[in-house]
Amino acid sequence: MKIRKELWFGLSIMALVVMAATWGLLSVPTITNGHLGLLMLSLVVVAIMLGFPTAFTLMGMGMIFTWLAYDRDITRTLDLMVQAAYKSMANDVLIAIPLFVFMGYLVERANLIEKLFKSLHLAMARVPGSLAVATLVTCAIFATATGIVGAVVTLMGLLALPAMLRAGYSIPLSAGAITAGGCLGILIPPSVLLILYGATAGVSVVQLYAGAFFPGIMLAGLYILYVIIMAKIRPAWAPPLSEQERQVPLPPLTQALPAQTRQHAPLHLLQALKGRRNAAVPLGHVLRQLGIVVLPGLLFLVLALTSWRAVTILPAQETFDIQPIGLSDSSSSSSGLQEPPSTESGTLQEPPTEGGLQEPPGAEAAPSSAAAAPTLAEPPAAVNPGLASAAQTQPAPTWWWVSFAILGAITALFYLFLSFARLEIFKMLLGSFFPLMVLILAVLGSIVFGLATPTEAAAMGAFGGFLLAAAYKRLTMDVVTESVYLTAKTSAMVCWLFVGSAIFSAAFALLGGQEVIEKWVLSMNLTKVEFMVLSQVVIFLLGWPLEWTEIIVIFMPIFIPLLSHFGVDPLFFGLLVALNLQTAFLSPPVAMSAFYLKGVAPPYVTLNQIFLGMMPFMGIQVLAIVLLYLWPSIGLWLPHLLYK
């Protein structure tokens, strides 16, 4: 079998690197295991950049250098490999990965993304840059539901890019919105990146999910704000939709009421309910439309009432009924058995007769003439739990009034401006946007509020994906087979990566490479701020040649032990890393999202134009990292509120 020229070239370059590294080590007066660890790290990075499989490169390098560290003892080397692999396989957190991936593939094949994009861009028709804004919102929701960056960028490249180009949008702006929006799935929970970081750093995945929620929303909001500002400053980059493109066709029965798109829907439907309608329109159609109209109001009332009880009614506290032992009435004494007290010698006293009083301790030494005198010692008390006090109430907090004042105003505006056209858009959102949001909120809510572990919530999400695919009549045997195959393929890749990372980390620690790096960093006498800036710059630069999976499994085990020296919270560091690793999908030359988009873009869309469009969004990501560092409560407020 002929070996390709590229493989020969890669092997030649790697051989040259090995020779150069070996010559450099030989020039060192004393070669230690720490130097071998640094050599192993360098060779792994070079091999990955040359295109060798990451997982097997990590395992192979780890085995070779472990064999060298153990003085060529193959038995101990194999023992280390088995122990590291078993440790990874026994990690329960990793079970959530195939379940979340399976949920993503099922949701992707439910064909919701086209309906979601159409309904969102019609709902945001009056917003500047509405198509790009709808693209970002669609990408954020769909990437959150699937967590598969390649699938989201590819589907949006097929769906949104032609629509934006037909509307006269700038190619760089269109490409940047699609690629940046598709990458939000690796930050907003449920995210596979956060699961891998939690398993690597020993941080609770539940707290990571809670902490990443608001930074993810902040980053998506910054993207949308940038698009709106650019559409205002440069209208030629994002022209507004024409009146014809904003038109929403009404169903034939609604037109037969008669009804027009700009008419107030609730009032006109009530009039039709009274009898002012075309005889050809059945009453059931009018009732169905009214039922859809009242849904937001009913939802607002249910949320208001349930949350009002939750914030104003305090839980009942248990009180205790205290009764003296032996002084209760005869009925209570004879109704049950008491444990006979023991003497100091360990023998049991004579049990008292039914209905009689037990002789108090110390009475044996008292004279018999004083038996009637009130000289008895105070008997001990028996505590009978089970009586609960009445529930107490408290005033509703300010945040509740503010939140529901805003929600009430939004609901009132919804009904005030609800035309028949907007009612049709709302029905489209009910069929595309809200099912995904219910699935996402059910999965995240069960995790964040402690109702389920990440693995259990992932199983719920996979079942929800089944239901969505079945509801949209996409649940066929071919769809299930393909989803299972792709899930097994992706999960095997991630788990092999984790096994390779475990072997590599064990070999690196065994060789003393971690100790060498720690001594070098600590010798620089960095402050906490300087260390944080240095670490984030290193991760940012690593994102140019490497993917996020490689950065997590190779370099996080190096950074994590240093956090305690500088007093950095691993949870906060993980949120910064998750924000930073957005750049791994956007930074050339290994910008995978750019290549995903280029594969489905028209021929006249060049790779340089896609790279140019991604650069402003990379700047926004850096701004988001700075904002999170300056105000850590953006990411830490929710975990501290729920779990501290």
Side-chain angles (χ1 to χ4, degrees), residues 113-138:
I113 193 167
E114 184 176 355
K115 299 177 182 178
L116 180 62
F117 176 69
K118 184 179 179 180
S119 59
L120 284 175
H121 94 74
L122 287 174
M124 302 175 180
R126 299 185 181 277
V127 178
S130 57
L131 280 174
V133 172
T135 298
L136 285 169
V137 176
T138 304

Side-chain angles (χ1 to χ4, degrees), residues 47 55 124 133 167 182 199 204 228 237 305 334 347 376 385 425 448 488 501 505 519-520 525 568:
M124 302 175 180
V133 172
S204 168
I228 293 175
W237 288 11
L305 292 176
S334 59
T347 58
L376 294 177
I425 295 174
V448 170
S501 170
S505 301
K519 288 182 179 179
W520 174 67
N525 295 321
V568 179

